[in-house]
Amino acid sequence: MEKVKNVKSIAVKFNLDDGISPDVKSKKRVLSEMEGIYYNNEELKKMLSKGNPIVYEFYDLDIPESEGNIKFGTTILYPGKVGNEFFMTKGHFHEILDTAEIYYCIRGHGYMLMENTEGNVEVQEMTAGISVYVPPGFAHRSINVSEKEPLISFFAYRADAGHDYKTIEMKGFRKLVLEKGGKPDIIDNPKWIK
Ligand code: S6P
Ligand code: ZN
């Protein structure tokens, strides 16, 4: 078996209150980068005419993307909605499809929406202390259903897994999480493309 060489140990701080690391620069995704991701793109455009808020930020540490390594960090998904659809991450499959991921929710209230290419859908509610196992083969998207708090989670996955964003950008997820009467409502996505 080949050994993973020349990787030093690292220690990184992630704050428990805001999920931010004071030591590392996060990647930020602003609303304009989410064009076509939300159900109501017209509403997104209206929002963009007033500003371009950060929807989420996450860490992509400089860990070699090879089989024996594990990438980890936090995702901070801010509260908000596009129309009645809660703020969410783009969502992706891993390029090496049969690779899993672990999320541990530090703060907030949300969902992990998952689906595989066979059409199986999994939804897990996330609150502080809950860890979610995203099984191999499942696309995954975090959704923040809180009106005021960020959804903060820690994640870890095989470092060489890679990210396929295109499939979700083209097809969408089979389910949407919308706000209905002050509560999250999980419905079939009428725009989902087979
Ligand atoms: C990577 C892992 C997370 C996400 C992050 C942002 O495999 O799932 O680090 O990258 O939560 O979501 P997305 O869908 O924009 O990559
Ligand atoms: Zn992932």
Side-chain angles (χ1 to χ4, degrees):
M1 196 185 288
E2 216 186 306
K3 261 188 154 183
V4 178
K5 291 179 196 124
N6 302 327
V7 182
K8 295 253 162 61
S9 76
I10 56 171
V12 184
K13 181 177 170 64
F14 296 103
N15 296 330
L16 289 176
D17 53 350
D18 60 10
I20 298 287
S21 174
D23 312 319
V24 197
K25 201 169 182 290
S26 66
K27 284 195 172 174
K28 296 181 176 63
R29 289 233 209 273
V30 291
L31 195 61
S32 59
E33 293 169 278
M34 302 294 283
E35 280 250 22
I37 299 285
Y38 289 93
Y39 173 70
N40 189 343
N41 205 48
E42 288 311 304
E43 186 59 38
L44 181 138
K45 282 184 180 153
K46 260 196 226 164
M47 287 170 74
L48 282 176
S49 67
K50 294 176 201 146
N52 194 11
I54 297 172
V55 179
Y56 58 101
E57 53 187 299
F58 61 102
Y59 290 91
D60 184 13
L61 302 182
D62 197 17
I63 289 168
E65 293 180 359
S66 61
E67 196 181 344
N69 282 297
I70 294 172
K71 283 220 170 199
F72 65 94
T74 52
T75 302
I76 302 120
L77 174 57
Y78 293 102
K81 277 180 289 184
V82 175
N84 60 347
E85 190 171 15
F86 294 105
F87 270 14
M88 59 193 185
T89 58
K90 282 189 172 189
H92 57 265
F93 285 95
H94 290 160
E95 258 164 21
I96 303 178
L97 196 59
D98 60 350
T99 52
E101 183 156 343
I102 295 164
Y103 277 79
Y104 177 73
C105 182
I106 296 168
R107 183 179 157 193
H109 183 205
Y111 289 90
M112 182 62 70
L113 177 62
M114 296 161 273
E115 68 176 50
N116 67 5
T117 50
E118 281 85 53
N120 301 306
V121 173
E122 302 268 327
V123 184
Q124 294 292 351
E125 195 166 0
M126 296 173 84
T127 52
I130 295 288
S131 51
V132 173
Y133 185 63
V134 177
F138 277 75
H140 38 289
R141 161 179 284 167
S142 312
I143 299 157
N144 184 354
V145 301
S146 166
E147 295 283 332
K148 45 186 189 301
E149 265 201 316
L151 178 70
I152 301 169
S153 38
F154 182 87
F155 60 81
Y157 63 99
R158 192 174 123 175
D160 63 340
H163 296 87
D164 162 20
Y165 289 102
K166 284 216 171 73
T167 306
I168 294 299
E169 273 167 13
M170 272 162 35
K171 293 157 77 91
F173 272 78
R174 284 172 163 85
K175 299 280 180 190
L176 299 178
V177 182
L178 305 179
E179 188 264 330
K180 193 179 173 191
K183 286 190 186 144
D185 189 26
I186 302 167
I187 63 157
D188 287 336
N189 179 2
K191 287 187 173 170
W192 183 74
I193 297 167
K194 209 171 177 182

